[in-house]
């Protein structure tokens, strides 16, 4: 993965198109057509790039790419300089240099090697020369001049090549014009209705304009696609065609296209590797079944042509492999013949295993979570869970160094780290009761501990708050400057259904401030509800926040951009900042619900420690008094009226009563807490008028 500060992450798609256009010698008007923007706006962006990188003139812009190739997407474009080559590649001489960049790479013989670490797994790090693709010299595409104020679509000829229904048995990535022409590009101005039923969408953080890409199998929309995923700062997009058995990729900058047998190959990771440049990793699947064991990884170059191979016996229910933020290490799970397996570290320059570590778990059906990847630090964390979800073990690994002395401890995992690992967040649950039915929420009293480092006691605790929220997505909660984080809190309102009574706040632990975000009213669709509109801060700009993957908020200007989708399915699970600092990205359609229900919340406040049961509250902000009711309903009988300052204790309802052991419930009339007064009287009160007593 490419973390903050790498070259690819510093440039948006639009920036790279501009730089490529300048390198090709295109005029501003020609570059503007490629982007679907006005010439005046293009000139402003050019000037911004020149100032941003401390240059003196437009002609110096290509130097920003540090040797990355310029585009030859338009007819007559110049050939790019060579990429970082695959070790062992044979230079083609002057004749090869005159070919277009999509020519097949000629690879020399390479030596294979086997790395066995510490007498443990016989993990073979086999390096061999590989080559996919064909000679496809005509992968160029043209863009049309946009109509003012309307969505613009890049016309591509309807594909005359229909994927063969015959099963493909060769694991091969093919570059072709037909593969590129299966992709459609459109630009939707801010506020325009997007009527696409599937695709991937890149929102410009300055203008709100959305660049969209989708597959059009067979020239129409009758066969949609799913699994849209951005790679390498959004330069590449992959997707799978429904019913075709094929996977597809497009390079947004160079306008190249590829396809491969989706049941035999699949993309799993990507990074800007110092020794080889942009690398996309595909995993070989052992049979046409997508769930079959893999463990053979192909490290492709930026043209998806030459590749190197790493062979590891994979443990197939582990998390996907990933790169260190600097691209120097590749982390994967492997099975040495005894479950649950081991985690290995691979040097990406040589594809040799440099460290391994046994993954502890209660049994072989473990799950593992990886945290801290977005921090840009030199370590990451792994939490392993048993079948019932308890944390079995929690490890902290350096990307480089000695894994034999890894720190471990039981207990809840760190879930989010500030940039550089300077501070951490840990959500803890001092009281939890599972829901009796599938359609009900668990009772989860979440608190957020702010820590200075691993193993350190909490510096401060934010009570009645949660950092697990939303419908999957990225885990990072800290702003780019590391001074604040986002959290789920009670919205403080007195009305509305209990399941939509949550809100979000920007929390500044150093200043002791909790500032609520003001959201627009919830819409009728599930993904427009507050629970699914959680903020994810930009790791590049402390003022930018993605809400629910479809909304972008700039704290400095107070401006909101919102994607208007005609299709009511919902966004899929993509990190909204995985396309770099200049774009917010989301995919469509929805990939299945995730995350969890809302936490049990009262008024959020700072404290020195996590509360212990039984919880103690005081009535706060009720005005004349707070009604103590017989049941959890605004229609229920009032048993007492409690003035501000009245002490209360959380207790479970009587045995056999509804809702049983639940002392916090959400329903159509609000959110309710079951309490006992000092006089021993029990009943239900509205949650938003309770504060912590200590």
């Amino acid at each position: 993965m490419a973390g903050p500060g790498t070259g690819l992450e510093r440039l948006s798609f639009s920036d790279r198109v501009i730089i490529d256009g300048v390198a090709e010698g295109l005029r501003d008007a020609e570059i503007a057509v490629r982007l679907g923007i006005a010439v005046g706006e293009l000139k402003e962006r050019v000037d911004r790039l020149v100032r941003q990188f401390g240059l003196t003139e437009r002609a110096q812009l290509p130097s920003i790419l540090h040797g990355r190739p310029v585009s030859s997407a338009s007819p007559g474009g110049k050939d790019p300089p060579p990429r970082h080559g695959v070790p062992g590649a044979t230079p083609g001489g002057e004749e090869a240099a005159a070919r277009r960049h999509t020519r097949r790479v000629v690879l020399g013989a390479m030596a294979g090697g086997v790395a066995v670490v510490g007498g443990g797994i016989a993990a073979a790090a086999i390096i061999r020369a590989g080559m996919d693709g064909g000679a496809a010299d005509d992968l160029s595409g043209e863009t049309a001049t946009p109509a003012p104020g309307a969505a613009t679509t890049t016309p591509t000829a309807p594909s005359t090549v229909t994927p063969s229904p015959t099963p493909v048995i060769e694991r091969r990535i093919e570059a072709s014009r037909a593969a590129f022409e299966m992709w459609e590009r459109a630009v939707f101005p801010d506020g325009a209705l997007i009527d696409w039923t599937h695709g991937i969408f890149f929102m410009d953080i300055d203008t709100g304009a959305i660049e969209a890409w989708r597959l059009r199998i067979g020239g129409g929309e009758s066969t949609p696609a799913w699994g849209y995923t951005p790679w390498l700062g959004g330069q590449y997009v992959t997707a799978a065609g429904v019913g075709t058995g094929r996977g597809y990729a497009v390079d947004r900058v160079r306008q190249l296209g590829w396809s491969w047998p989706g049941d035999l190959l699949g993309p799993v990771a990507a990074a800007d590797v110092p020794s080889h440049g942009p690398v996309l990793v595909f995993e070989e699947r052992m049979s046409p079944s997508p769930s079959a064991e893999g463990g053979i990884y192909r490290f492709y170059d930026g043209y998806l042509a030459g590749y190197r191979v790493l062979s590891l016996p994979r443990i197939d229910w582990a998390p996907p492999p990933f790169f260190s933020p600097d691209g120097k290490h590749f982390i994967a799970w492997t099975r040495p013949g005894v479950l649950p397996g081991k985690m290995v570290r691979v040097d990406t320059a040589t594809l040799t295993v440099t460290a391994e570590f046994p993954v502890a778990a209660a049994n072989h059906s473990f799950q593992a979570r990886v945290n801290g990847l977005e921090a840009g630090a030199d370590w990451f964390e792994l939490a392993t869970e048993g079948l019932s979800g308890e944390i079995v073990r929690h490890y902290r690994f350096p990307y480089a160094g000695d894994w034999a002395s890894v720190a471990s401890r039981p207990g809840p995992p760190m879930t989010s780290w500030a940039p550089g690992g300077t501070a951490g967040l840990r959500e803890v649950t001092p009281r939890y009761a599972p829901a009796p039915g599938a359609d009900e929420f668990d009772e989860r009293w979440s608190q957020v501990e702010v820590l200075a480092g691993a193993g350190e006691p909490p510096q401060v605790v934010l009570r009645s708050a949660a950092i697990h929220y939303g419908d999957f997505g990225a885990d990072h909660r800290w702003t780019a400057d590391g001074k604040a984080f986002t959290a789920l809190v009670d919205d403080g309102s007195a009305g509305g259904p209990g399941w939509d009574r949550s809100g979000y706040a920007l929390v500044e632990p150093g200043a002791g401030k909790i500032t609520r975000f003001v959201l627009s009213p919830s819409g009728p669709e599930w993904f427009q509800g507050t629970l699914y509109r959680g903020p994810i801060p930009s790791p590049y700009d402390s003022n930018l926040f993605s809400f629910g993957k479809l909304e972008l908020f700039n704290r400095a200007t107070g401006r909101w951009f919102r994607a208007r989708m005609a299709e009511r399915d919902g966004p899929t699970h993509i990190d909204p900042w995985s396309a770099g600092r200049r774009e917010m990205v989301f995919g469509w359609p929805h990939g299945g619900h995730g995350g969890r229900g809302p936490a049990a919340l009262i008024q959020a406040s700072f404290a020195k420690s996590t509360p212990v049961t039984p919880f103690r509250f005081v009535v706060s902000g009720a005005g004349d008094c707070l009604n103590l009711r017989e049941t959890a309903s605004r229609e229920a009988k009032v048993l007492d009226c409690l003035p501000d300052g009245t002490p209360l204790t959380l207790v479970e309802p009587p045995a056999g009563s509804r809702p049983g052991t639940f002392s916090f419930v959400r329903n159509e009339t609000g959110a309710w807490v079951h309490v006992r007064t000092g006089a021993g009287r029990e009943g239900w009160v509205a949650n938003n008028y309770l504060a912590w007593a200590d």
Side-chain angles (χ1 to χ4, degrees):
M1 61 183 293
T6 65
L8 285 175
E9 295 294 345
R10 295 189 64 192
L11 298 171
S12 70
F13 161 73
S14 300
D15 293 336
R16 291 191 291 266
V17 171
I18 291 170
I19 295 170
D20 273 355
V22 173
E24 292 177 43
L26 299 182
R27 298 185 300 273
D28 285 349
E30 294 173 298
I31 302 174
V33 168
R34 283 189 176 182
L35 290 174
I37 62 177
V39 176
E41 182 178 347
L42 186 282
K43 291 181 179 295
E44 292 177 0
R45 294 192 182 192
V46 169
D47 291 341
R48 173 180 60 78
L49 284 170
V50 170
R51 294 193 304 271
Q52 178 181 343
F53 289 92
L55 307 178
T56 58
E57 59 181 349
R58 178 182 184 274
Q60 295 175 318
L61 287 176
S63 66
I64 297 172
L65 291 179
H66 299 296
R68 293 189 176 90
V70 299
S71 174
S72 57
S74 62
K78 297 179 181 179
D79 292 334
R83 299 295 293 261
H84 294 284
V86 177
T90 303
E94 294 183 3
E95 179 182 356
R99 297 172 182 167
R100 296 288 296 273
H101 67 269
T102 53
R103 285 290 186 188
R104 183 173 296 184
V105 180
V106 179
L107 298 169
M110 298 183 64
V114 177
V116 181
V117 182
I121 63 171
I126 304 172
I127 310 174
R128 71 171 184 257
M131 174 184 62
D132 279 354
D137 288 356
D138 56 351
L139 292 175
S140 60
E142 292 286 351
T143 56
T145 303
T152 60
T153 302
T154 300
T156 59
S159 174
T160 58
V161 180
T162 302
S164 171
T166 303
V168 180
I169 61 174
E170 186 177 3
R171 294 181 178 90
R172 181 184 182 88
I173 296 180
E174 300 173 348
S176 67
R177 181 179 180 84
F180 174 71
E181 289 178 346
M182 287 181 177
W183 290 89
E184 179 184 11
R185 173 185 179 269
V187 177
F188 296 89
D190 176 34
L193 183 66
I194 301 174
D195 59 357
W196 287 15
T197 59
H198 63 93
I200 189 167
F201 306 86
F202 300 85
M203 178 183 288
D204 188 284
I205 63 171
D206 294 325
T207 66
I210 293 175
E211 181 192 348
W213 289 79
R214 66 177 173 182
L215 277 172
R216 299 193 64 173
I217 309 298
E221 271 199 281
S222 58
T223 305
W226 63 280
Y228 288 96
T229 305
W231 303 96
L232 291 169
Q235 179 174 344
Y236 300 82
V237 174
T238 59
V242 175
T244 69
R246 304 286 295 177
Y248 299 89
V250 66
D251 182 326
R252 296 168 62 207
V253 175
R254 296 172 295 176
Q255 300 186 14
L256 307 177
W258 300 267
S259 71
W260 58 87
D263 55 351
L264 299 178
L265 283 174
V268 293
D272 197 12
V273 175
S275 59
H276 289 78
V279 169
L280 287 88
V281 180
F282 282 68
E283 183 177 15
E284 293 186 10
R285 292 165 177 160
M286 298 296 99
S287 78
S289 171
S291 61
E293 288 187 17
I296 300 177
Y297 300 103
R298 297 185 179 189
F299 286 63
Y300 281 90
D301 61 26
Y303 289 95
L304 298 185
Y307 62 86
R308 302 174 296 152
V309 172
L310 170 69
S311 181
L312 297 169
R314 174 88 187 280
I315 183 167
D316 56 357
W317 50 79
F322 60 93
F323 284 92
S324 60
D326 59 11
K328 295 181 179 179
H329 305 285
F330 180 74
I331 314 297
W333 279 256
T334 187
R335 183 168 62 190
V338 179
L339 297 175
K342 294 186 178 182
M343 185 173 63
V344 298
R345 183 185 68 211
V346 176
D347 182 278
T348 56
T350 61
L351 290 194
T352 55
V353 177
T354 57
E356 63 177 47
F357 193 82
V359 179
N363 51 58
H364 70 275
S365 297
F366 79 99
Q367 296 183 6
R369 292 205 305 265
V370 178
N371 301 305
L373 293 178
E374 76 283 352
D378 59 357
W379 49 264
F380 67 96
E381 293 186 334
L382 172 72
T384 60
E385 302 176 353
L387 284 175
S388 60
E390 79 279 7
I391 300 299
V392 179
R393 219 58 184 154
H394 182 215
Y395 304 96
R396 191 174 200 240
F397 292 88
Y399 283 109
D402 185 9
W403 277 15
S405 59
V406 166
S408 68
R409 64 180 183 279
M414 309 291 185
T415 55
S416 186
W417 284 94
T422 55
L425 301 177
R426 180 171 62 194
E427 183 175 323
V428 296
T429 308
R431 174 178 165 81
Y432 170 76
D439 295 331
E440 300 177 88
F441 293 120
D442 295 343
E443 181 185 340
R444 190 188 308 270
W445 289 81
S446 296
Q447 326 289 318
V448 178
E449 297 179 345
V450 182
L451 307 109
E456 298 293 329
Q459 292 181 312
V460 67
V461 175
L462 181 63
R463 294 185 174 181
S464 285
I467 53 176
H468 285 297
Y469 52 69
D471 189 47
F472 280 141
D475 290 331
H476 47 89
R477 299 290 181 257
W478 288 92
T479 55
D481 58 10
K483 296 181 180 179
F485 63 89
T486 56
L488 176 77
V489 297
D490 184 71
D491 70 353
S493 66
W499 50 79
D500 206 28
R501 282 278 309 281
S502 302
Y504 298 96
L506 185 65
V507 182
E508 301 174 73
K513 294 177 61 177
I514 304 173
T515 306
R516 284 188 175 88
F517 291 102
V518 180
L519 302 182
S520 59
S522 298
E525 307 299 331
W526 68 265
F527 58 86
Q528 296 172 333
T530 303
L531 182 61
Y532 300 106
R533 295 168 66 192
I536 300 177
S538 164
Y540 313 104
D541 188 330
S542 298
N543 291 312
L544 297 179
F545 302 84
S546 171
F547 279 81
K549 309 180 182 76
L550 299 178
E551 301 173 275
L552 175 63
F553 175 61
N554 188 319
R555 180 173 49 149
T557 64
R559 187 172 185 181
W560 287 83
F561 293 121
R562 295 179 174 89
R564 294 182 58 213
M565 306 299 295
E567 178 66 29
R568 312 319 297 171
D569 187 275
T572 191
H573 309 136
I574 295 177
D575 180 348
W577 300 109
S578 56
R581 66 178 62 239
R582 302 294 307 172
E583 295 175 310
M584 185 190 82
V585 61
F586 62 94
W588 212 269
H590 186 49
H593 288 302
R596 66 185 185 191
L601 302 171
I602 60 172
Q603 296 174 15
S605 61
F606 289 107
K608 293 183 178 180
S609 62
T610 301
V612 296
T613 56
F615 295 158
R616 303 187 185 281
F617 314 122
V618 293
V619 178
S620 175
D624 294 335
C625 58
L626 174 62
N627 290 325
L628 180 71
R629 296 186 180 272
E630 188 175 37
T631 61
S633 171
R634 294 189 182 278
E635 308 301 324
K637 178 182 177 181
V638 176
L639 304 177
D640 202 348
C641 200
L642 312 173
D644 279 2
T646 301
L648 300 171
T649 302
L650 180 79
V651 293
E652 294 182 358
S657 68
R658 184 66 178 166
T661 60
F662 269 27
S663 55
F664 186 100
V665 298
R666 297 174 184 269
N667 56 33
E668 294 83 356
T669 64
W672 303 88
V673 184
H674 193 263
V675 297
R676 178 186 294 147
T677 68
R681 196 163 205 175
E682 295 184 12
W684 295 87
V685 295
N687 73 317
N688 52 301
Y689 296 114
L690 294 181
W692 293 96
D694 51 14

